[in-house]
Amino acid sequence: MTLRSTPLSPGARILGVGAYEPSRVVTNEDLLARLDSSDEWIRQRTGIVERRWATPDETVTVMAAEASRRALAHAGLDAGAVDAIVVSTVTRFVQWPAIASRVAAALGIPSVAAFDLSAGCAGFCYALAQADALVRAGTAGHVLVIAADRLSDMTDLADRSTAFLFGDGAGAVVVGPSAQPGIGPVTWGGDADQADTITQTQEWTDALASGTMPYIVMAGQKVFKWAMTEITDVTRRAIEAAGLTPADIDLFVPHQANDRITDALLRYLKLPESVVVSRNIRRLGNTSASSIPLGIARLYADGLVRPDAACLMVGFGAGLVYAGQVALLPAGAPGTVPGPVNPPIPPNPLNP
Ligand code: UT7
């Protein structure tokens, strides 16, 4: 017996990009009341000048839905064109339903396929790879890929090793069929032996008993070293997998974990001087998987994305897991890509 399969699409590509940045700006100085640190140390070691924390009303679902609306507007599509929604998040405070189902309801498309994915700060690249495969396999026409997190809820503000790092936000892209491949093969994997390198202080069941949140705990130096050794190679392989060379790359949007990791990746990859590099960490901190779509949206807002720009992305984090790929970006439609309030990226003389 032979079963029928779905008609394949020759390619998939990103059709629209959207982002949501929470309204509340938190400077390094704001953190110092509870943290034994300094503005100078935080800038020097990470590049971060400020981050944004969501207000109680800016839930993961609210931010995800708003980023999606903006991505759909950029793509020129109605929500009704969406067949599937995948949300990468590590800050789900309900076990069920999936955030993706809540987003589907918020967008007025309750009948779509919807699921969440947990791959730490690599989650956006993982989800984009799923969307690419779903569209090329003919399983879905248009897929909303969303990354959304409220890391501020899970950050111990007195923990010197994490309190200054994290911020909140959401980013989304719409992926749809195309005549040519517009999303390169994903280079992904991990090192599960280091699963405890980024984890939480306690399980939710213990949190219930103790009445305290399970906060993020991270062996920062270990992750830093892993990123320096593993992620450089992963990023190079993502370029090769797309059949490109560093000279073909227009935009580089690595996970915004630390400006110094971005610097190391740049040194290793020898990308041309002309490549536009995301430094969004300076104004948003580390927003986990959202940092890549937030970084891309920011480049649009700054007018730095030409049509069909080749955007190199790499995400890495809890698991430890990583994923990277190159994707071509659509032309920017002024007024449809956010965003919110876009003060310039603060210069950082301490980490130029
Ligand atoms: O998004 C998921 C993936 N995450 C990452 O990729 C994070 C990777 N790791 C990092 O970005 C860095 O490890 C951190 C930014 C988290 C920390 O920077 P570091 O350069 O690795 O700092 P460290 O822990 O090695 O500490 C260096 C020094 C120590 O002082 P001594 O022993 O040299 O005198 C610490 O006590 O800095 C001190 N220190 C601080 N000083 C001021 C540690 N934390 C702080 C602080 N403020 N918050």
Side-chain angles (χ1 to χ4, degrees):
M1 189 190 297
T2 309
L3 298 185
R4 193 185 300 156
S5 188
T6 47
L8 305 181
S9 165
R13 62 171 296 152
I14 293 175
L15 303 174
V17 179
Y20 183 88
E21 297 180 359
S23 44
R24 184 172 161 210
V25 175
V26 178
T27 65
N28 292 339
E29 288 293 337
D30 292 336
L31 297 177
L32 299 183
R34 294 191 53 189
L35 189 68
D36 174 19
S37 187
S38 68
D39 175 50
E40 185 183 354
W41 189 93
I42 298 169
R43 289 188 194 215
Q44 218 159 34
R45 296 286 174 144
T46 67
I48 299 168
V49 176
E50 60 194 32
R51 75 284 294 139
R52 286 170 182 242
W53 287 352
T55 60
D57 293 342
E58 292 171 317
T59 63
V60 173
T61 302
V62 163
M63 295 192 293
E66 191 49 35
S68 301
R69 287 186 195 99
R70 292 170 182 182
L72 285 163
H74 182 205
L77 290 170
D78 288 333
V82 173
D83 299 302
I85 300 178
V86 49
V87 176
S88 162
T89 183
V90 287
T91 48
R92 287 160 50 85
F93 301 118
V94 288
Q95 200 67 29
W96 47 77
I99 299 285
S101 295
R102 294 261 193 239
V103 172
L107 296 178
I109 46 171
S111 60
V112 295
F115 62 101
D116 292 353
L117 172 158
S118 172
C121 303
F124 176 75
C125 295
Y126 267 65
L128 183 61
Q130 305 316 306
D132 174 50
L134 289 171
V135 170
R136 283 190 298 110
T139 311
H142 294 97
V143 182
L144 253 178
V145 175
I146 305 164
D149 271 306
R150 282 176 60 109
L151 294 167
S152 62
D153 290 330
M154 296 193 72
T155 304
D156 176 354
L157 297 183
D159 180 351
R160 286 181 100 211
S161 58
T162 55
F164 52 89
L165 266 184
F166 299 110
D168 304 334
V173 298
V174 184
V175 174
S178 65
Q180 308 281 336
I183 299 171
V186 67
T187 303
W188 62 354
D191 180 359
D193 285 342
Q194 297 204 64
D196 289 334
T197 313
I198 304 173
T199 181
Q200 49 187 70
T201 45
Q202 56 185 339
E203 297 192 3
W204 285 100
T205 40
D206 297 328
L208 268 180
S210 68
T212 55
M213 282 293 282
Y215 292 125
I216 303 166
V217 260
M218 182 175 72
Q221 278 219 354
K222 270 192 173 173
V223 184
F224 195 94
K225 281 182 189 146
W226 175 74
M228 295 292 213
T229 50
E230 286 290 319
I231 303 308
T232 43
D233 192 48
V234 170
T235 316
R236 182 183 54 75
R237 286 194 278 127
I239 301 173
E240 286 169 8
L244 302 177
T245 69
D248 299 314
I249 302 300
D250 298 301
L251 312 169
F252 181 39
V253 186
H255 167 46
Q256 300 291 289
N258 190 317
D259 251 356
R260 289 188 294 143
I261 294 177
T262 301
D263 292 339
L265 289 169
L266 281 171
R267 276 196 302 275
Y268 177 85
L269 293 169
K270 299 191 172 42
L271 296 176
E273 291 275 305
S274 57
V275 172
V276 176
V277 180
S278 175
R279 298 288 186 176
N280 218 18
I281 191 171
R282 295 181 185 173
R283 44 188 294 282
L284 293 185
N286 177 342
T287 52
S288 190
S290 320
S291 80
I292 291 179
L294 280 164
I296 294 172
R298 173 65 198 205
L299 297 183
Y300 273 104
D302 286 345
L304 295 169
V305 184
R306 64 161 182 79
D308 275 340
C311 180
L312 171 64
M313 299 164 278
V314 64
F316 50 90
L320 294 172
V321 292
Y322 58 77
Q325 67 265 85
V326 180
L328 305 181
L329 296 182
T336 57
V337 169
V341 190
N342 270 311
I345 292 190
N348 187 358
L350 298 172
N351 187 351

